[in-house]
Amino acid sequence: MQTHFSEAARAKPHIHEADRILRTCVHCGFCNATCPTYQLLGDERDGPRGRIYLIKELLESDDGDDQVTQETQLHLDRCLSCRSCETTCPSGVEYHKLLDIGRAEVDRRVGRRPGERALRLGLRVALVEPKRFQALLALGQTFRPLAPHDLRDKIPPRQQPRRVRPDPTRHARQMLILEGCVQPGLAPNTNDATARVLDRLGIGVSPAPEAGCCGAIDFHLNAQAAGRDRMRANIDAWWPLIDRRGEATSSPAEVEAIIQTASGCGAFVKEYGETLADDPEYAAKARRVSELAKDLVEILREEDLESLNTSDASAGLAFHCPCTLQHAQKLGGAVEGVLARLGFDLAPVRDSHLCCGSAGTYSITQPVLARRLRDDKMDALEASSPQTIVTANIGCQSHLNSAGRTPVRHWIEVVDEALTA
Ligand code: SF4
Ligand code: SF4
């Protein structure tokens, strides 16, 4: 794609990066065929190619150009950041990076209505601090019957109290785990089940107490500076446990990996190195953290799973592969492979490349589209009448569960139960 930036504009880092990405697009439109919002709305501006043109026009126009309107912002807001288009694109266009640049620029130029600003700030305040989120969730669960219908669907019932985790220090192999911001409240069993399964494989799993939200929610809501601060805070929390140079030889084993059980967090932590590449203090540490970041499935698929005794590998499972696992981390088929090795039967799911509509905070900021995508996804998942749907990301799990249909769980929970039966 030809671009028309002045030399002065190209000297700005974000324009330089956008220009590089725009020039890789050959405007073939193949990406539209796998874009969920294009399929729903049929408008070129709600597909990847149209959004790329909108961003190009936006960045090439001058400040104050009245062609940049809230309509441009709306079409960019409707994008799920699902990256299905990137999987399809034959030219390797890094669409998600261009989208981040475009969203920041359109917000700077046209601003946000007060209601939208309040919603976005409220989401960031409510979601990113685990203790605060758990307190709000407990309040919501108490008053759930009184909540409006739409909100009630999003508040899950209280879960059983956590079961005790095994002592991680009894193993020579050690890994860190990112507990996440909303997952400990919404699905407290996921990380415990992970610790129990890995314990059987001789791996000790511990959280770094000071690590918190990965920063993805801030980035989703166009608060990139706050997101970068969260990345640095997590690096500071992990670094003393990663870098053992200079310690006595009797100190604990080096950590092999930083595990994420939510694929949305995993995709984001794997990009810490790239996102903080220009930060002189953190660039090298961020690169190391990204190298160590692993989705849970990447750990399990390397282990001797056949030595585990799965006495209750239940039939009747369907797997929803999150976009952050298949399109961002390129791990499509990995969970299915692990579950098959453990003896589970999985039903095929049509249109498995399509997003369920969760997409970070999309289900709250774009509720109508998100509900349509959710219901279409549930229809596809339920086609084989499974007893349980499993997935690999807390956002997808909560969003799909809000339909009140077949229960949706993290896949490690059904593995844990099969092993402990
Ligand atoms: S498939 Fe790739 S190259 Fe073709 S229009 Fe879409 S982004 Fe551009
Ligand atoms: S990220 Fe998803 S919703 Fe956005 S343009 Fe690409 S395919 Fe469409």
Side-chain angles (χ1 to χ4, degrees), residues 175-412:
M175 296 187 187
L176 291 171
I177 186 167
L178 174 63
E179 301 269 4
C181 48
V182 296
Q183 183 165 275
L186 292 173
N189 196 38
T190 302
N191 291 332
D192 292 352
T194 300
R196 288 191 290 270
V197 172
L198 290 178
D199 178 69
R200 286 171 180 263
L201 292 163
I203 299 169
V205 174
S206 328
E210 301 302 321
C213 173
C214 65
I217 289 176
D218 289 309
F219 261 73
H220 269 293
L221 294 168
N222 201 19
Q224 280 100 342
R228 284 193 179 83
D229 285 345
R230 279 187 211 289
M231 294 175 173
R232 295 185 190 100
N234 283 342
I235 293 170
D236 287 342
W238 288 324
W239 198 250
L241 304 164
I242 293 170
D243 185 20
R244 299 273 187 197
R245 283 171 301 182
E247 288 190 16
T249 47
S250 59
S251 61
E254 279 193 12
V255 296
E256 289 178 41
I258 305 171
I259 304 170
Q260 284 88 41
T261 52
S263 60
C265 308
F268 201 71
V269 177
K270 285 181 177 181
E271 293 199 341
Y272 274 22
E274 211 173 321
T275 311
L276 293 179
D278 296 329
D279 183 323
E281 196 184 337
Y282 281 88
K285 291 179 183 177
R287 261 199 319 277
R288 180 71 186 129
V289 162
S290 291
E291 284 163 11
L292 286 169
K294 296 275 182 284
D295 186 88
L296 174 61
V297 74
E298 293 177 274
I299 306 296
L300 280 196
R301 71 179 179 180
E302 299 302 323
E303 299 300 317
D304 179 18
L305 300 180
E306 288 69 21
S307 68
L308 298 174
N309 181 17
T310 43
S311 54
D312 181 31
S314 37
L317 286 187
F319 178 63
H320 165 57
C321 191
C323 299
T324 41
L325 196 67
Q326 59 175 321
H327 301 306
Q329 300 194 57
K330 307 293 181 209
L331 288 169
V335 172
E336 293 93 320
V338 163
L339 290 174
R341 281 171 63 196
L342 288 166
F344 290 91
D345 261 341
L346 285 178
V349 178
R350 72 175 146 78
D351 291 335
S352 58
H353 62 285
L354 289 179
C355 180
C356 67
S358 168
T361 52
Y362 192 92
S363 64
I364 298 166
T365 56
Q366 299 288 332
V368 177
L369 288 175
R371 207 174 301 124
R372 285 176 67 186
L373 290 165
R374 180 197 71 186
D375 292 345
D376 288 351
K377 181 59 71 180
M378 287 302 289
D379 289 346
L381 287 160
E382 288 178 337
S384 61
S385 307
Q387 290 164 3
T388 306
I389 293 166
V390 287
T391 189
N393 188 49
I394 185 61
C396 309
Q397 186 180 333
S398 312
H399 183 55
L400 292 173
N401 267 329
S402 72
R405 292 164 57 170
T406 307
V408 186
R409 309 178 71 192
H410 194 287
W411 62 272
I412 198 67

Side-chain angles (χ1 to χ4, degrees), residues 119 123 136-137 139-141 143-156 363-364 367 371 398 402:
L119 175 64
L123 285 170
L136 289 170
L137 180 64
L139 199 66
Q141 285 166 331
F143 294 103
R144 191 168 182 266
L146 305 176
H149 191 263
D150 275 2
L151 182 59
R152 200 184 317 150
D153 290 348
K154 295 191 187 312
I155 303 171
S363 64
I364 298 166
R371 207 174 301 124
S398 312
S402 72

